[in-house]
């Protein structure tokens, strides 16, 4: 198996807005290989963003009946009482189905590219080419830039319908899929598709995050017209090349993407029928799709090997996990990439995440299937569903470990990102391992642990140590034996040994600790388990304020530490060490704070000896953005200057692309990777500087955002309601009759908030809004960290309350900013309620 290359992009300063941008900034082609901008071989471990911009009937309804995007739109229009409401639901869906968290989740699972299916109608309305689709493309491109991923744009539904399937939005077709309903090759449809691609390419010609243009999805020409496919590809490619020579042209085989013979210019019959006998673009990649036994697709790569161009599989799935894995393994060993279908689905499995319908959604489905009185009263509930329930990380989602195991990208430690130290590392987030297994855990925070450890099993991680010094190493363990050990190794040399006690249960957890000396920089961090017989949830490495010696290893075998021991320093017992942490751990680290509260309850039962005064109090460090070994998480922006009429004026602030956290606790078996930064529950609240316990720091410890008022303003208690006009700082805000009105794009409100609920809690955030003309957006930030995006529906001039759940809000004093990236609405009040209940 080839080494899998990772993303690499030139700096932003090297970009040019002209068409003369150097090709080195873009993904390119060399023979049968795809190269990254540095000229290194690039393998795409991708996935499809299905059911986002193109609804598929079976995914929206949970059945397998023939139903197009347009058909479903018309059905919900009847259910809601008008096209305007159906359009609002469609728009809200598109804003929330793929957000930063979704992309970050996929990045943390190891994927480096997404395929974006879209309908040509996003760029063509009322006989004119329009810009509507750029709003959604821009968002996913920015999210991918933030997390170091590539984007492939896929025209899934083309003018006149390129196949008889419902996913082509072929409203003339039916369940029998008659080929005579395919009209793409009739009239001016090919020319229209070419004009749309030219429009898209002109906008993204200088965008390095976009790696290619997938001309049309799964073409099925009318019987006897199969050889018109190649010429239509050339027409679309030529239109793109009029404005963009930087990006790759992707062409799929005929007959649902499976038959490459119809576009094989070296085949004598094909050349005779098409008039094409040579390679028709110098940045050309072919693509196949396959739904069926793995054996049915073997050998298709031989055509492209003969042609001397790369090939990847752009769709496969809807099959059992054994067959799915066989296709993935074949693609890894033979092709230049793979993109399984799909990352998440409504109702169905055979994906990473399943979204279940709620009561309102099921009632709308019942109306669509059975008729009756239109459930217009469910419109707001459905908008709420599209605002909250479909987002990655919602508690109702089901995680499918088996599907992930069958499509999991292959990433070596040399290509893996590094965890920044001080920080916390989930045990299952290894880059290499031997003999371990992953299972769900009942420990605080849920998620998964590694277990079933046999002697000399190991897990390995990359860490980036911010400063050479002694660190407090903690490990969260559970065991029914007292023979377990952890041999801690840095770059192959042992720096510490930890003994695992009998905790009286495989899910009865305790925290053990020791001290280790670590050198600065990126290193291999390997945990070897000499005797096995325990479970491991996570390890953390936190900074100490002064020199404390490493505890002497016990037992035999480990290589002595390569770092000289510190002398004349007092020792500290584990109990004393844990005691000292209680007053020094950062309150903003939700998971560590929960552990502190547990220890506080237990300390009263323990006899504790005070630590010597010379022993410094350790400060628990927050995990922060890792420094990848080869793969930068930030990608340059494009040079195009177009700004669509309706699009967010800002995106969520960049979050760490690999952050220690846990997947939802309801998952039957969890993924070996941390959740991304857009999941508020996964990360510490960050302020500048971060306040520490006790929770009564002076106001000067908080950022003032340029406003002296917030520096002296009182802190408003939460849970509770906050009138919008009671801000301590704002931008562009007008108050009239006790409400904030005439909100423009980018306006914001700031408040000093005291979250009084102990620990780190889940809250329901609510906002009372009124929009007579436009749909808007609210971005909730806590101490500068984006916690929530919430769509504001068109309310027809009446007041409505919108809701969303937000997690990981640590107790104490915080600065809360409510930004309106898209204005056009009024706000009366906001409300935080503990738990996931609506406010009273």
């Amino acid at each position: 198996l080839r080494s899998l290359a990772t993303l690499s992009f030139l700096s932003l300063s090297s970009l040019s807005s002209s068409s003369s941008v150097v090709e080195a900034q873009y993904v390119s082609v060399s023979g049968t290989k795809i190269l990254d901008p540095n000229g290194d071989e690039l393998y795409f471990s991708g996935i499809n963003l299905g059911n986002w911009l193109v609804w598929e009937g079976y995914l929206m309804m949970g059945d397998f009946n023939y139903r197009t995007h347009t058909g479903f739109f018309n059905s919900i229009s009847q259910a809601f009482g008008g096209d305007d409401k159906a359009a609002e639901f469609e728009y809200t869906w598109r804003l929330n189905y793929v957000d930063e968290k979704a992309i970050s989740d996929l990045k943390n699972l190891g994927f480096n590219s997404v395929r974006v299916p879209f309908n040509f109608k996003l760029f063509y309305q009322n006989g004119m080419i329009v810009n509507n689709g750029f709003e959604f493309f821009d968002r996913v491109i920015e999210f991918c830039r933030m997390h170091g991923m590539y984007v492939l744009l896929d025209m899934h539904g083309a003018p006149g319908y390129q196949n008889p399937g419902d996913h082509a939005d072929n409203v003339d077709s039916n369940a029998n899929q008659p080929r005579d309903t395919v009209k793409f090759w009739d009239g001016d449809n090919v020319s229209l598709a070419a004009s749309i691609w030219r429009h898209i390419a002109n906008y993204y010609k200088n965008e390095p995050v976009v790696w290619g243009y997938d001309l049309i999805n799964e073409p099925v020409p009318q019987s006897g017209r199969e050889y018109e496919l190649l010429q239509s590809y050339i027409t679309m490619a030529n239109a793109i090349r009029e404005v963009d020579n930087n990006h790759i042209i992707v062409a799929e085989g005929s007959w649902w993407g499976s038959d490459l013979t119809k576009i094989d210019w070296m085949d004598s019959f094909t050349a005779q029928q098409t008039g094409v006998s040579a390679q028709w673009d110098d940045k050309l990649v072919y693509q196949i799709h396959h739904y069926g036994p793995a054996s049915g697709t073997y050998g298709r790569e031989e055509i492209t090997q003969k042609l001397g161009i790369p090939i990847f599989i752009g769709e496969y799935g809807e099959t059992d996990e054994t067959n799915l894995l066989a296709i993935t393994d074949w693609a890894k060993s033979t092709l230049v990439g793979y993109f399984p279908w799909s990352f998440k689905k409504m109702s169905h499995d055979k994906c990473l995440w399943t979204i279940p319908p709620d009561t309102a959604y099921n009632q709308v489905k019942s109306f669509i299937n059975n008729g009756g009185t239109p459930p217009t009263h469910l419109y707001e509930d459905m908008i709420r569903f599209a605002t909250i329930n479909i987002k990655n990380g919602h508690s109702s989602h089901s995680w499918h470990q088996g599907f992930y195991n069958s499509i999991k990208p292959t990433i070596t430690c040399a290509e893996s990102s590094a965890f920044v130290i001080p920080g916390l590392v989930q045990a299952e987030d290894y880059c290499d391992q031997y003999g371990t297994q992953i299972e769900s855990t009942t420990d605080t925070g849920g998620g998964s642990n590694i277990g079933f450890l046999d002697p000399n099993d190991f897990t390995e991680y990359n860490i980036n140590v911010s400063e050479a010094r002694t660190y407090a190493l903690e490990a969260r363990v559970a065991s029914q034996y007292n023979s377990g050990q952890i041999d801690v190794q840095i770059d192959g040399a042992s720096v510490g040994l930890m003994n695992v006690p009998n905790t009286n249960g495989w899910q009865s957890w305790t925290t053990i600790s020791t001290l280790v000396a670590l050198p600065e920089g990126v290193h291999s961090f390997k945990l070897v388990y000499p005797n096995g017989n325990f479970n491991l949830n996570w390890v953390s490495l936190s900074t100490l304020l002064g020199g404390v010696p490493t505890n002497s290893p016990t037992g035999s075998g480990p290589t002595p530490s390569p770092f000289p021991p510190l002398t004349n320093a007092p020792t500290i017992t584990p109990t004393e060490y844990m005691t000292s942490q209680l007053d020094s751990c950062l309150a903003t680290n939700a998971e560590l704070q929960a552990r502190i509260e547990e220890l506080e309850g237990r300390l009263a039962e323990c006899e504790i000896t005070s630590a010597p005064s010379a022993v410094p109090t350790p400060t628990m460090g927050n995990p922060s953005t890792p420094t990848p070994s080869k793969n930068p998480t930030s990608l340059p922006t494009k040079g195009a200057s177009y700004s669509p009429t309706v699009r967010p004026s800002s995106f969520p602030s960049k979050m760490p692309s690999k952050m220690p956290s846990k997947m939802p606790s309801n998952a039957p078996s969890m993924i070996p990777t941390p959740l991304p930064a857009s999941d508020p529950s996964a990360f510490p609240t960050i302020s500048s500087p971060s306040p520490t316990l006790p929770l009564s720091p002076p106001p000067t410890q908080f950022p003032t955002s340029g406003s002296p008022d917030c520096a002296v303003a009182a802190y408003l208690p939460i849970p509770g309601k906050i009138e919008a006009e009671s801000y301590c700082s704002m931008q562009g805000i007008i108050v009239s009759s006790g409400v904030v009105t005439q909100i423009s794009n980018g306006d914001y409100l700031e408040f000093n908030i005291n979250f009084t609920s102990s620990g780190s809690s889940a809250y329901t955030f609510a906002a009372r809004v009124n929009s007579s003309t436009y749909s808007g957006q609210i971005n909730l930030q806590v101490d500068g960290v984006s916690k929530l995006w919430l769509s504001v529906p068109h309310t027809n001039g009446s007041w409505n309350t919108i809701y969303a759940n937000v997690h990981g809000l640590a107790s104490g004093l915080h600065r809360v900013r409510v930004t309106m990236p898209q204005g056009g609405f009024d706000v009366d009040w906001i409300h935080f309620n503990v738990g996931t209940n609506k406010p009273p």
Side-chain angles (χ1 to χ4, degrees), residues 373-396:
T373 303
T376 56
H377 63 288
L378 296 177
Y379 166 68
E380 289 188 9
D381 290 333
M382 289 290 283
I383 290 293
R384 188 174 299 115
F385 181 89
T387 301
I388 300 173
N389 292 50
I390 66 174
K391 284 190 171 186
N392 266 43
H394 191 271
S395 60
S396 68

Side-chain angles (χ1 to χ4, degrees), residues 16 70 128 153 161 168 231 285 420 471 616 623 692 725 736 756 787:
S16 167
T70 297
M128 299 178 59
L153 301 177
Y161 323 121
Q231 281 292 349
V285 175
V420 167
Y471 289 83
T692 56
E725 67 272 19
S736 177
T756 59
K787 292 289 187 180

Side-chain angles (χ1 to χ4, degrees), residues 399-402 405 438-440 447-448 663-664 666-671:
W399 162 258
H400 302 293
Q401 182 71 32
N405 291 341
I438 298 172
E439 63 179 358
S440 298
S448 49
M663 293 296 290
N666 64 328
S669 179
M670 303 310 299
I671 57 174

